[in-house]
Structure formats: C-alpha cells, structure tokens
Amino acid sequence: MTAVDGDEPSTTSTANTTSAASTTTAAVRQARQARQVQQPRQRGAFVLLGSVQATLIFTLAAISVPLPRIGREFGLQRSGLILLSAAYGLTFAGLLLFGGRLADRYGGRRTLTAGLMLLAAASAAAPLAPGFEALLAARFAQGAGAALSAPAAMAVLRAVFPSPAAYGRAMATWGGLSVLGATAGNLLSGVISTLLSWRWNFAVPLVVAGAALALAPRLLPDTTPSGGRALDLPGAFLATCGITLASYGLVVTDAHPWSSAGVLVPLLSGAVLLAAFWGAERRARDPLLPPRFLLDRRRAAALSAIALTACGTAMTFVVLSLHLQQERDWSALRTSAAFVPFAVALLASGRAAGPLIGRYGARAVTAAGLGVGGAGLVLLALGGLDAGTPYAYGLLPGLVLLPLGTAASFAGAAVLATDGVPLGQAGLAGGVMNTAMEFGPTVLFAVLLTLGDDASSLAATGAALAALAALTALSRRTGPRPS
C-alpha cells in the first residue's frame, strides 16, 4: 500500500503533463486550422474590395477616349465636353470626406453597400441616356456612389486585416489599384467604343457593383459602427461645396480665361468655403477632418505623393491621347494599344512593390518611385510629343519608366498615409487618401497645364515629382498620431 500511495502523485503528474501537452497540441492545431480558414477569406475579401477600388477609378476614365464621339452624338461644344468629363470627379472628390465619416459612423460594409447600390443604379441609367442632361446627371450620381464606396472599402479592409503588419502588406498592394483602374479605363474604353459603343463602357461598373453586392455578405465582415460620433454636417457642407466649386473653377480654365467670371466666381467661392471649413474644423468637438490628422510629416508627404503621381498619370493619358489622335491621326483603338506597355510595366512594378516595401521600407520605395516616375515624364516631354519621332524611342521609354515609378510610389505612399491610423478612423483615412487622388487630376492638373505647352507641363510635373522624391527621402515622422 505504501508503494502504491507513493506512486499516485507521479501517476497524476504524468497524466497532467500528458493532458497539458494534448491541450497545447490541440490549441496549435486549432490555430493552424483557423489560419487556413481565415487566409482564403482574407484573400477573397481583398479581391472583392480591390476590384471595387479599381473599378471606381476605371469609371472615372471610362469616357475619356470616346469623349469626341459622345460630343458628336449629342452635339456638344467644348464646354459641355469638359463638364461631362469632370462630372464624375466633381461629386467623387467633393463627397469623399463625408463618405469617410459615414463609413466610420455607420459601419464600413453598410456604407459600402449603399454606395454600390447608387453606383449600380447610375451605371444602369447612363447607357440609356437619351441626351446630354440625362448622361450628365448619371455621371454626377456615379461620382456620389463612388464617394461612399471608396472610403468604406478601406474601412472594411482595415477590419479584414486587423494586424498592423498584415494591413501594411495589404495597403502596399492597394496603393497600385487606382492607377491600374485608370490604365484599364484608358485601354478598354477605346477598345469597347470601337468594337461596340461608348455606352457599353458603363457595363463594367454595373457588373462589378452587382457582383460585389452579392458577395459582400459572404466575404466581408460586418464592421462595427462608431455609434456616438457626430456627423459634423456643417463641416461636411463646407467641405463638399468648397471642393466641388474650387475643382469646377479649375476644370473650366480649359474653356475660359482665368480672369473670366466663369472661372473666378467658383474658384474664389470654393477657396472661401474651404477656409471656413478649416476654421470650423479647428473649433468643432468632433470634426469631419481633425487638423492633427495631417500634422504627421510623413503622412503629409505621402498624400502629396499620391496627388502629384495621380496628376502625372492623368496628364500623360490626356496629353498623349490627344496628341496621338489629333497630331498623328491614330484611331481610338490604336491609341489604346499604345498604352499596353504602360499597363505591363505597371503590373510588374505593382507586384514587386510589396516585397520591396518589406525589405527597404515604405518611405524609401515611395521616394524611389517618385524619382523614376519623374524621369519618365521628363523623357516624354523631351521627345515623345514630336509627331515625327517614332513611337519606339520617342514614347516607349517614358511609357515604361513612368508606370514603374507610379506603381511603386502609390504603394509606398498608401502604407505611409495609413500608418498608425486607428480602426475608428479607417474611413477617414480612406476619404483623405482618395481626396488626394482626386486633387491631383483636377487641381494640380489644371494649374500645371497653364505653365505653357504640353511638353512644358509634363517636364514641370516630372521636376515636381523629383523634388518631392528628395523631400520624402529626408522626411521623418513628426507630430502626434491620430486619436
């Protein structure tokens, strides 16, 4: 009996050890199984959200190449074409900050659903438009749907990748989706318009929005709304009206002189409203755009990189599309084909950007991308706009260098712009990022085009990218993180 009594603790200890080991093994197995289930869901969610983001920018460029055909069909003058081209971007840019706050206030997936429904309805109405007014209204409505969808998609993305490291890797890929969408818009719009009709370009956002609405409940998490946060309606009104009026004033400089009432009235009114917005935000208890959100120098540099890179890309598409069709007498289909190397280089650079950011850091990749993109614009300015210069060595080198730099700078800047942003401000971050993306092709584009001919504008944009590359390389984090 004594021996047996003495053995009992050892037997119990062995049993406990075995039980603990089994529990640990089971926990490891469950964690591994959870990762195996979670990773495909994360990939599926990213593909869905990324498709939405790329489509929103595709829709912005969907009528750029066939715009002359639309003008002939509806009998539009230059001012009407300019307004039709800018309509989507005006409401998109004007409502983005408010869309970001709605995503934070009511939840990303709910706001994304509302935005996609509006985008789908407008995209279904656009190809049925019997005239200019109906098409213009549909483009305005598409922009409003995009302004809800873009920041909401980023808010959901933040919930899909709760780990800061995983979210950073996702943003490195996310950054290149917008320029990919713009490239696809310029490539496919010419092909679709030539083979079918310009009206079929609106099938792309309609199909993507419909598919996203069907798959969202299955793939996307139901993000938690912030609940008690106010909407700051006065700030939303001032920001929306100020951005829209100022953008419109700059857009119409292509048809009216800077000294005309058609330019000065909306431009100055927008500037006054934006100044009032900034003053109101500094006094508001729960502002639409907290001023301290932009105090981080790296974030400010990242947003500047996004805006300027978007400007350079948009300028290249517009200037070269007009140059090839008007001065070289190329068809819309051949013009679209000229940008195929651009798309290939963009995809290659976008694929390499994530690993490069992981190895060298987002700041270094952003700076390098800005420098390479600037060199591409300068090459285009020096030789690409001479109608007698062959495509192979007049345009092709710049059309390869520019996207190589663009994809890298977008990817790195997206990581820097969202670094340290809390979950409750993911929608705000998305709104600010997309506002910077729209600011470039409207405000900066209009200002830089006034510097002279197209070659001078491209060269000036390239020089600005090079200067920003140097500033980004030297920047360090300063200022408080957003709270």
Side-chain angles (χ1 to χ4, degrees):
M1 289 292 296
T2 303
V4 173
D5 290 342
D7 288 342
E8 283 180 358
S10 175
T11 303
T12 303
S13 175
T14 302
N16 288 340
T17 302
T18 303
S19 176
S22 300
T23 302
T24 302
T25 302
V28 170
R29 188 183 302 114
Q30 289 176 355
R32 186 182 299 115
Q33 291 173 347
R35 285 195 300 271
Q36 291 173 348
V37 172
Q38 184 184 32
Q39 288 176 353
R41 287 180 62 88
Q42 287 179 328
R43 285 194 293 269
F46 184 86
V47 169
L48 188 151
L49 294 170
S51 299
V52 168
Q53 175 67 15
T55 301
L56 296 180
I57 309 302
F58 170 93
T59 308
L60 180 67
I63 64 170
S64 57
V65 174
L67 199 59
R69 293 188 180 189
I70 299 173
R72 289 192 296 269
E73 182 173 333
F74 292 151
L76 301 178
Q77 301 297 320
R78 185 175 179 85
S79 58
L81 289 175
I82 292 171
L83 182 58
L84 185 60
S85 177
Y88 179 91
L90 288 175
T91 48
F92 192 2
L95 290 169
L96 271 168
L97 290 177
F98 188 52
R101 173 48 60 92
L102 288 175
D104 290 335
R105 174 68 174 78
Y106 294 107
R109 198 176 83 178
R110 185 182 302 180
T111 306
L112 177 63
T113 299
L116 289 174
M117 290 176 66
L118 179 56
L119 178 68
S123 299
L128 303 177
F132 168 69
E133 292 79 7
L135 181 58
L136 183 65
R139 290 291 283 174
F140 277 127
Q142 279 186 314
L148 294 177
S149 302
M154 280 192 61
V156 176
L157 186 71
R158 184 70 179 84
V160 171
F161 297 96
S163 164
Y167 182 61
R169 289 192 296 271
M171 287 307 302
T173 303
W174 186 270
L177 293 175
S178 295
V179 70
L180 178 62
T183 305
N186 281 274
L187 284 173
L188 295 180
S189 62
V191 175
I192 294 172
S193 301
T194 300
L195 299 180
L196 298 170
S197 164
W198 61 266
R199 296 176 184 267
W200 280 95
N201 285 311
F202 295 102
V204 175
L206 177 60
V207 170
V208 173
L213 286 169
L215 294 174
R218 187 185 312 169
L219 294 178
L220 303 183
D222 191 4
T223 52
T224 304
S226 59
R229 304 190 69 174
L231 283 178
D232 187 19
L233 293 178
F237 174 81
L238 291 171
T240 299
C241 293
I243 292 173
T244 303
L245 283 172
S247 299
Y248 175 79
L250 288 165
V251 164
V252 297
T253 56
D254 192 56
H256 304 285
W258 281 86
S259 57
S260 66
V263 172
L264 288 178
V265 171
L267 190 58
L268 294 178
S269 299
V272 169
L273 289 173
L274 289 175
F277 165 72
W278 186 254
E281 295 303 278
R282 297 184 66 179
R283 296 189 301 270
R285 174 184 295 181
D286 195 6
L288 184 71
L289 176 60
R292 64 183 300 182
F293 188 83
L294 301 177
L295 291 181
D296 188 319
R297 285 186 184 176
R298 291 206 312 171
R299 180 167 293 116
L303 295 174
S304 300
I306 290 170
L308 195 55
T309 303
C311 170
T313 303
M315 183 180 293
T316 300
F317 284 137
V318 171
V319 167
L320 292 188
S321 293
L322 293 175
H323 167 75
L324 293 174
Q325 294 182 75
Q326 294 177 354
E327 297 184 27
R328 301 198 184 198
D329 199 28
W330 286 20
S331 66
L333 186 60
R334 190 180 179 189
T335 299
S336 293
F339 290 99
V340 169
F342 187 104
V344 173
L346 184 75
L347 290 171
S349 180
R351 187 172 183 84
L356 289 174
I357 290 172
R359 182 171 183 178
Y360 298 107
R363 181 166 55 87
V365 172
T366 303
L370 289 169
V372 173
L377 284 172
V378 171
L379 281 179
L380 289 173
L382 292 177
L385 300 184
D386 184 353
T389 304
Y391 171 86
Y393 60 83
L395 288 174
L396 187 58
L399 285 176
V400 172
L401 273 184
L402 177 60
L404 288 176
T406 294
S409 61
F410 261 117
V415 175
L416 293 176
T418 54
D419 182 33
V421 174
L423 183 60
Q425 288 188 337
L428 169 64
V432 170
M433 260 188 62
N434 282 278
T435 300
M437 206 172 297
E438 293 302 308
F439 180 85
T442 52
V443 177
L444 294 179
F445 189 10
V447 171
L448 287 166
L449 279 180
T450 64
L451 298 178
D453 57 17
D454 290 341
S456 299
S457 299
L458 287 172
T461 308
L465 283 170
L468 185 58
L471 290 174
T472 303
L474 297 173
S475 68
R476 294 291 188 272
R477 174 178 297 282
T478 59
R481 287 179 179 264
S483 57

